[in-house]
Amino acid sequence: MIGFKHTQHITLTVSNIERSLAFYTGLLKFPLHSRLETHNPDGLVIHFLDIGNGVLLELLSFDAAPEPTEWLPDDLQAGFRHLAFWVADTDVTHRDLKDKGVEFTLDPFSTDGVRLAFFKDPDGNLLELLSGQLAYKEIYNPRVASSPPGRQSPAGCALAFCHLALTVLDRQQAVAFYRDQLGFEPVGTLGVDHPGKMHITFLQAGNAALEVFSYGPTAYPRQHPQGKPVLGIRHIAFEVNDVAKTITGLEQGGVHITRPPRFFAGIYNSFFEDPDGNSLEVISGRPVA
Ligand SMILES: [Fe+2]
């Protein structure tokens, strides 16, 4: 298992950084944490935003337009699905954002003890608001279930990072990977009565949670384009004490390492894949504010 400290950031590639900053910092009120010029030939510029609970949103922008996202508006498609944020009152935040022209794909509704709404960012990435308390159908780990991650919004912001959702092809395999390789604890299940045999497993580690959707054989894989920048949710990064040692351990555990440890723009990092080919990063050092 990796020397997991916490979830550091979640990465989005955007098509128009000014528009995305207007949305994330102007409308959602996530403070700008830092900006990094990489001096890469492709013009990569990185903006880190504070999205609460100690997690950063990393926005990647390039000189040339990135490739369209491979994400489909269908949760049967494997891979990262949406980012979710706690709010005090879903209906209040929904009304406020809707009044400001934000497009909602699902207006507020109640399920599993929480009140949810779904909306889109300027590139069509799916975001979720939720308030209330998750009511698990089945609890795997009462100790972890009774001590969920906090709901620390940045100052002046109503939202706090809650979870990253992903659809997996093989639930057992995915849960074993995130538990045994990364140290996420399975907390419980949600929505076992939902139509379409949808099953949701919540995993928790430190300041973050993963919402794992599985559908049995009806889920289908995603193509993961290589090489060129692609729009959408790209990876999740975990801060560790020792990147090289962590990667050696993951490699020995049979994990596919996609980029060996390296120094990049003042930090030390490495990339690897989960069983569905989602990109994950381990990193030491935080971006300087
Ligand atoms: Fe969610």
Side-chain angles (χ1 to χ4, degrees):
M1 193 188 300
I2 69 175
F4 187 97
K5 286 165 76 177
H6 57 248
T7 295
Q8 185 191 86
H9 66 255
I10 295 169
T11 302
L12 281 183
T13 297
V14 306
S15 61
N16 179 326
I17 187 61
E18 298 310 325
R19 191 176 61 163
S20 292
L21 286 174
F23 179 83
Y24 282 106
T25 65
L27 277 179
L28 301 189
K29 308 287 185 201
F30 293 132
L32 179 64
H33 174 275
S34 48
R35 181 180 187 278
L36 195 61
E37 298 265 2
T38 65
H39 306 293
N40 274 18
D42 55 10
L44 169 63
V45 176
I46 302 174
H47 289 80
F48 286 101
L49 311 183
D50 178 359
I51 57 172
N53 272 342
V55 180
L56 300 172
L57 182 66
E58 179 184 45
L59 300 180
L60 305 183
S61 57
F62 298 87
D63 285 343
E67 300 287 311
T69 182
E70 75 284 20
W71 180 93
L72 299 172
D74 176 7
D75 281 339
L76 288 172
Q77 183 197 36
F80 299 135
R81 303 305 317 165
H82 64 256
L83 288 178
F85 300 94
W86 288 116
V87 288
D89 187 322
T90 299
D91 293 81
V92 168
T93 305
H94 164 264
R95 206 174 311 123
D96 176 47
L97 293 177
K98 204 160 182 171
D99 286 348
K100 291 171 177 158
V102 172
E103 181 189 348
F104 275 78
T105 59
L106 277 174
D107 288 330
F109 66 100
S110 298
T111 183
D112 299 312
V114 284
R115 190 135 174 96
L116 313 179
F118 285 86
F119 61 113
K120 285 183 172 181
D121 84 353
D123 284 310
N125 295 300
L126 196 56
L127 306 174
E128 176 185 357
L129 301 174
L130 73 165
S131 56
Q133 300 288 340
L134 287 167
Y136 295 104
K137 293 275 194 298
E138 184 186 353
I139 291 180
Y140 298 137
N141 189 327
R143 180 183 57 80
V144 179
S146 63
S147 56
R151 302 184 186 184
Q152 295 285 320
S153 302
C157 175
L159 284 68
F161 175 71
C162 173
H163 64 257
L164 172 65
L166 64 162
T167 293
V168 303
L169 297 179
D170 182 326
R171 183 170 75 237
Q172 256 82 29
Q173 186 186 35
V175 168
F177 173 85
Y178 281 97
R179 181 191 61 216
D180 301 340
Q181 303 290 356
L182 304 184
F184 275 83
E185 303 222 42
V187 186
T189 62
L190 290 171
V192 287
D193 299 329
H194 286 195
K197 302 222 182 303
M198 181 193 198
H199 185 287
I200 302 177
T201 307
F202 246 74
L203 305 178
Q204 193 174 302
N207 58 339
L210 297 175
E211 182 182 42
V212 176
F213 297 159
S214 52
Y215 296 86
T218 51
Y220 55 89
R222 174 183 304 205
Q223 299 303 317
H224 292 274
Q226 305 290 330
K228 289 184 176 172
V230 178
L231 290 175
I233 304 174
R234 301 322 321 165
H235 64 258
I236 179 166
F238 307 105
E239 199 167 336
V240 296
N241 289 318
D242 187 329
V243 169
K245 195 172 151 194
T246 300
I247 287 297
T248 302
L250 290 171
E251 214 163 11
Q252 286 167 353
V255 175
H256 181 215
I257 310 301
T258 52
R259 187 183 284 162
R262 59 161 189 174
F263 283 101
F264 175 75
I267 50 96
Y268 195 53
N269 70 355
S270 181
F271 286 83
F272 57 104
E273 285 180 349
D274 77 2
D276 291 300
N278 295 304
S279 182
L280 306 172
E281 176 184 1
V282 283
I283 184 167
S284 63
R286 281 180 83 80
V288 179

PDB file of all heavy atoms in Angstrom, residues 36-51:
ATOM      1  N   LEU A  36       0.764  28.218 -12.506  1.00  0.00           N
ATOM      2  CA  LEU A  36       2.068  27.678 -12.860  1.00  0.00           C
ATOM      3  C   LEU A  36       2.263  27.740 -14.369  1.00  0.00           C
ATOM      4  O   LEU A  36       1.475  27.188 -15.129  1.00  0.00           O
ATOM      5  CB  LEU A  36       2.084  26.210 -12.390  1.00  0.00           C
ATOM      6  CG  LEU A  36       3.385  25.457 -12.291  1.00  0.00           C
ATOM      7  CD1 LEU A  36       4.319  26.134 -11.297  1.00  0.00           C
ATOM      8  CD2 LEU A  36       3.092  24.027 -11.835  1.00  0.00           C
ATOM      9  N   GLU A  37       3.323  28.457 -14.788  1.00  0.00           N
ATOM     10  CA  GLU A  37       3.723  28.454 -16.206  1.00  0.00           C
ATOM     11  C   GLU A  37       4.715  27.322 -16.374  1.00  0.00           C
ATOM     12  O   GLU A  37       5.737  27.317 -15.686  1.00  0.00           O
ATOM     13  CB  GLU A  37       4.423  29.770 -16.555  1.00  0.00           C
ATOM     14  CG  GLU A  37       3.584  31.009 -16.411  1.00  0.00           C
ATOM     15  CD  GLU A  37       2.946  31.418 -17.720  1.00  0.00           C
ATOM     16  OE1 GLU A  37       3.136  30.707 -18.730  1.00  0.00           O
ATOM     17  OE2 GLU A  37       2.247  32.440 -17.718  1.00  0.00           O
ATOM     18  N   THR A  38       4.450  26.382 -17.254  1.00  0.00           N
ATOM     19  CA  THR A  38       5.370  25.252 -17.375  1.00  0.00           C
ATOM     20  C   THR A  38       6.465  25.497 -18.416  1.00  0.00           C
ATOM     21  O   THR A  38       7.438  24.790 -18.450  1.00  0.00           O
ATOM     22  CB  THR A  38       4.616  23.975 -17.779  1.00  0.00           C
ATOM     23  OG1 THR A  38       4.077  24.168 -19.096  1.00  0.00           O
ATOM     24  CG2 THR A  38       3.504  23.661 -16.793  1.00  0.00           C
ATOM     25  N   HIS A  39       6.266  26.493 -19.296  1.00  0.00           N
ATOM     26  CA  HIS A  39       7.180  26.753 -20.425  1.00  0.00           C
ATOM     27  C   HIS A  39       7.295  25.545 -21.344  1.00  0.00           C
ATOM     28  O   HIS A  39       8.307  25.344 -22.005  1.00  0.00           O
ATOM     29  CB  HIS A  39       8.564  27.210 -19.919  1.00  0.00           C
ATOM     30  CG  HIS A  39       8.468  28.388 -18.987  1.00  0.00           C
ATOM     31  ND1 HIS A  39       8.061  29.636 -19.405  1.00  0.00           N
ATOM     32  CD2 HIS A  39       8.694  28.495 -17.652  1.00  0.00           C
ATOM     33  CE1 HIS A  39       8.039  30.466 -18.360  1.00  0.00           C
ATOM     34  NE2 HIS A  39       8.415  29.798 -17.295  1.00  0.00           N
ATOM     35  N   ASN A  40       6.283  24.708 -21.343  1.00  0.00           N
ATOM     36  CA  ASN A  40       6.228  23.580 -22.278  1.00  0.00           C
ATOM     37  C   ASN A  40       5.957  24.115 -23.685  1.00  0.00           C
ATOM     38  O   ASN A  40       5.291  25.140 -23.837  1.00  0.00           O
ATOM     39  CB  ASN A  40       5.069  22.633 -21.914  1.00  0.00           C
ATOM     40  CG  ASN A  40       5.473  21.611 -20.877  1.00  0.00           C
ATOM     41  OD1 ASN A  40       6.462  21.782 -20.187  1.00  0.00           O
ATOM     42  ND2 ASN A  40       4.687  20.558 -20.766  1.00  0.00           N
ATOM     43  N   PRO A  41       6.435  23.414 -24.725  1.00  0.00           N
ATOM     44  CA  PRO A  41       6.176  23.882 -26.096  1.00  0.00           C
ATOM     45  C   PRO A  41       4.679  23.941 -26.426  1.00  0.00           C
ATOM     46  O   PRO A  41       4.267  24.726 -27.282  1.00  0.00           O
ATOM     47  CB  PRO A  41       6.865  22.831 -26.980  1.00  0.00           C
ATOM     48  CG  PRO A  41       7.679  21.982 -26.080  1.00  0.00           C
ATOM     49  CD  PRO A  41       7.264  22.218 -24.669  1.00  0.00           C
ATOM     50  N   ASP A  42       3.874  23.123 -25.747  1.00  0.00           N
ATOM     51  CA  ASP A  42       2.433  23.133 -26.032  1.00  0.00           C
ATOM     52  C   ASP A  42       1.690  24.240 -25.284  1.00  0.00           C
ATOM     53  O   ASP A  42       0.468  24.358 -25.382  1.00  0.00           O
ATOM     54  CB  ASP A  42       1.811  21.767 -25.714  1.00  0.00           C
ATOM     55  CG  ASP A  42       2.082  21.317 -24.290  1.00  0.00           C
ATOM     56  OD1 ASP A  42       2.586  22.134 -23.489  1.00  0.00           O
ATOM     57  OD2 ASP A  42       1.783  20.148 -23.974  1.00  0.00           O
ATOM     58  N   GLY A  43       2.456  25.071 -24.545  1.00  0.00           N
ATOM     59  CA  GLY A  43       1.815  26.207 -23.875  1.00  0.00           C
ATOM     60  C   GLY A  43       1.021  25.840 -22.638  1.00  0.00           C
ATOM     61  O   GLY A  43       0.130  26.584 -22.229  1.00  0.00           O
ATOM     62  N   LEU A  44       1.343  24.706 -22.040  1.00  0.00           N
ATOM     63  CA  LEU A  44       0.595  24.280 -20.846  1.00  0.00           C
ATOM     64  C   LEU A  44       0.726  25.301 -19.719  1.00  0.00           C
ATOM     65  O   LEU A  44       1.833  25.665 -19.317  1.00  0.00           O
ATOM     66  CB  LEU A  44       1.124  22.912 -20.373  1.00  0.00           C
ATOM     67  CG  LEU A  44       0.637  22.430 -19.000  1.00  0.00           C
ATOM     68  CD1 LEU A  44      -0.885  22.218 -18.996  1.00  0.00           C
ATOM     69  CD2 LEU A  44       1.348  21.131 -18.609  1.00  0.00           C
ATOM     70  N   VAL A  45      -0.420  25.761 -19.240  1.00  0.00           N
ATOM     71  CA  VAL A  45      -0.493  26.599 -18.041  1.00  0.00           C
ATOM     72  C   VAL A  45      -1.421  25.897 -17.061  1.00  0.00           C
ATOM     73  O   VAL A  45      -2.461  25.348 -17.453  1.00  0.00           O
ATOM     74  CB  VAL A  45      -1.016  28.018 -18.366  1.00  0.00           C
ATOM     75  CG1 VAL A  45      -1.165  28.842 -17.087  1.00  0.00           C
ATOM     76  CG2 VAL A  45      -0.080  28.727 -19.344  1.00  0.00           C
ATOM     77  N   ILE A  46      -1.025  25.889 -15.793  1.00  0.00           N
ATOM     78  CA  ILE A  46      -1.800  25.183 -14.765  1.00  0.00           C
ATOM     79  C   ILE A  46      -2.323  26.194 -13.756  1.00  0.00           C
ATOM     80  O   ILE A  46      -1.559  27.002 -13.231  1.00  0.00           O
ATOM     81  CB  ILE A  46      -0.923  24.134 -14.041  1.00  0.00           C
ATOM     82  CG1 ILE A  46      -0.349  23.124 -15.045  1.00  0.00           C
ATOM     83  CG2 ILE A  46      -1.726  23.422 -12.959  1.00  0.00           C
ATOM     84  CD1 ILE A  46       0.653  22.139 -14.433  1.00  0.00           C
ATOM     85  N   HIS A  47      -3.616  26.140 -13.509  1.00  0.00           N
ATOM     86  CA  HIS A  47      -4.219  26.913 -12.429  1.00  0.00           C
ATOM     87  C   HIS A  47      -4.717  25.929 -11.374  1.00  0.00           C
ATOM     88  O   HIS A  47      -5.438  24.981 -11.714  1.00  0.00           O
ATOM     89  CB  HIS A  47      -5.406  27.740 -12.924  1.00  0.00           C
ATOM     90  CG  HIS A  47      -5.026  28.892 -13.794  1.00  0.00           C
ATOM     91  ND1 HIS A  47      -4.725  28.750 -15.133  1.00  0.00           N
ATOM     92  CD2 HIS A  47      -4.888  30.225 -13.513  1.00  0.00           C
ATOM     93  CE1 HIS A  47      -4.433  29.939 -15.643  1.00  0.00           C
ATOM     94  NE2 HIS A  47      -4.515  30.844 -14.688  1.00  0.00           N
ATOM     95  N   PHE A  48      -4.329  26.147 -10.125  1.00  0.00           N
ATOM     96  CA  PHE A  48      -4.854  25.336  -9.024  1.00  0.00           C
ATOM     97  C   PHE A  48      -5.895  26.158  -8.272  1.00  0.00           C
ATOM     98  O   PHE A  48      -5.631  27.307  -7.884  1.00  0.00           O
ATOM     99  CB  PHE A  48      -3.741  24.935  -8.050  1.00  0.00           C
ATOM    100  CG  PHE A  48      -2.823  23.866  -8.569  1.00  0.00           C
ATOM    101  CD1 PHE A  48      -1.577  24.189  -9.079  1.00  0.00           C
ATOM    102  CD2 PHE A  48      -3.202  22.532  -8.538  1.00  0.00           C
ATOM    103  CE1 PHE A  48      -0.715  23.202  -9.554  1.00  0.00           C
ATOM    104  CE2 PHE A  48      -2.352  21.536  -9.018  1.00  0.00           C
ATOM    105  CZ  PHE A  48      -1.106  21.865  -9.519  1.00  0.00           C
ATOM    106  N   LEU A  49      -7.061  25.568  -8.055  1.00  0.00           N
ATOM    107  CA  LEU A  49      -8.117  26.214  -7.280  1.00  0.00           C
ATOM    108  C   LEU A  49      -8.364  25.395  -6.018  1.00  0.00           C
ATOM    109  O   LEU A  49      -8.287  24.160  -6.046  1.00  0.00           O
ATOM    110  CB  LEU A  49      -9.423  26.291  -8.079  1.00  0.00           C
ATOM    111  CG  LEU A  49      -9.349  26.841  -9.504  1.00  0.00           C
ATOM    112  CD1 LEU A  49     -10.758  26.894 -10.102  1.00  0.00           C
ATOM    113  CD2 LEU A  49      -8.726  28.223  -9.521  1.00  0.00           C
ATOM    114  N   ASP A  50      -8.682  26.074  -4.928  1.00  0.00           N
ATOM    115  CA  ASP A  50      -8.993  25.408  -3.663  1.00  0.00           C
ATOM    116  C   ASP A  50     -10.472  25.012  -3.697  1.00  0.00           C
ATOM    117  O   ASP A  50     -11.346  25.882  -3.725  1.00  0.00           O
ATOM    118  CB  ASP A  50      -8.698  26.390  -2.518  1.00  0.00           C
ATOM    119  CG  ASP A  50      -9.027  25.805  -1.156  1.00  0.00           C
ATOM    120  OD1 ASP A  50      -9.506  24.663  -1.071  1.00  0.00           O
ATOM    121  OD2 ASP A  50      -8.798  26.525  -0.164  1.00  0.00           O
ATOM    122  N   ILE A  51     -10.750  23.699  -3.691  1.00  0.00           N
ATOM    123  CA  ILE A  51     -12.153  23.264  -3.727  1.00  0.00           C
ATOM    124  C   ILE A  51     -12.604  22.685  -2.381  1.00  0.00           C
ATOM    125  O   ILE A  51     -13.613  21.999  -2.287  1.00  0.00           O
ATOM    126  CB  ILE A  51     -12.425  22.257  -4.885  1.00  0.00           C
ATOM    127  CG1 ILE A  51     -11.530  21.029  -4.798  1.00  0.00           C
ATOM    128  CG2 ILE A  51     -12.269  22.967  -6.234  1.00  0.00           C
ATOM    129  CD1 ILE A  51     -11.900  19.935  -5.806  1.00  0.00           C
TER     130      ILE A  51
END
